[in-house]
Amino acid sequence: MRIGELASRSGVSVRSLRYYEEQGLLTSTRSASGQRHYTDIDVERVEFVQRLFAAGLSSRTITELLPCVDAPSESNSDAALERMEQEHDRLTRHIADLVRTRDALDALVSTARTHREALRVAAVD
């Protein structure tokens, strides 16, 4: 199948598919005229890559995980699990940072509301 059909079947834009190839997440064969050609297995691969992106992984991290899919082995599986645990820990730290940031903003909003209320009361007096 050509790139347009892969895009249609996988629900991913042609631009994204080209990006996946640039990043080494997807490969194609080329016709004599240079057109990309894919197989039905590539639809599954694109859907898998999309799930990894949806989990917050970068293309670099996804590239590190693909040997587990392309060449299954205990070693590749262990490496993929370790990498996913590292990403989980990174996301957990990021979430904690976001919660602290939100809490700081909540405090500022509360202070601003208190100040605004004081201005309203002063204007009434």
Side-chain angles (χ1 to χ4, degrees), residues 3-24:
I3 195 167
E5 183 179 350
L6 178 59
S8 177
R9 288 180 57 187
S10 64
V12 175
S13 70
V14 169
R15 182 178 180 187
S16 291
L17 294 175
R18 289 186 182 122
Y19 173 77
Y20 293 176
E21 278 203 58
E22 289 172 11
Q23 299 301 308

Side-chain angles (χ1 to χ4, degrees), residues 11-75:
V12 175
S13 70
V14 169
R15 182 178 180 187
S16 291
L17 294 175
R18 289 186 182 122
Y19 173 77
Y20 293 176
E21 278 203 58
E22 289 172 11
Q23 299 301 308
L25 306 175
L26 180 66
T27 58
S28 65
T29 57
R30 297 286 183 131
S31 67
S33 63
Q35 292 180 328
R36 294 173 170 92
H37 288 278
Y38 302 94
T39 66
D40 289 336
I41 293 170
D42 292 317
V43 175
E44 293 173 22
R45 184 172 187 101
V46 170
E47 290 169 347
F48 178 66
V49 167
Q50 283 290 289
R51 287 195 310 272
L52 294 172
F53 275 124
L57 302 178
S58 67
S59 58
R60 181 180 302 169
T61 300
I62 294 170
T63 300
E64 294 174 27
L65 298 176
L66 288 177
C68 184
V69 174
D70 297 336
S73 70
E74 279 189 54
S75 174

Side-chain angles (χ1 to χ4, degrees), residues 58-109:
S58 67
S59 58
R60 181 180 302 169
T61 300
I62 294 170
T63 300
E64 294 174 27
L65 298 176
L66 288 177
C68 184
V69 174
D70 297 336
S73 70
E74 279 189 54
S75 174
N76 285 342
S77 181
D78 290 344
L81 284 168
E82 182 178 337
R83 187 66 178 103
M84 286 188 284
E85 288 169 354
Q86 290 170 353
E87 284 300 306
H88 181 276
D89 293 346
R90 181 189 64 80
L91 286 171
T92 299
R93 287 188 306 273
H94 185 64
I95 289 167
D97 289 343
L98 288 171
V99 167
R100 280 190 293 277
T101 301
R102 184 200 57 206
D103 291 347
L105 181 58
D106 286 346
L108 289 171
V109 167

Side-chain angles (χ1 to χ4, degrees), residues 109-123:
V109 167
S110 178
T111 300
R113 283 192 174 129
T114 300
H115 179 70
R116 184 175 181 279
E117 181 63 19
L119 291 174
R120 189 187 65 76
V121 170

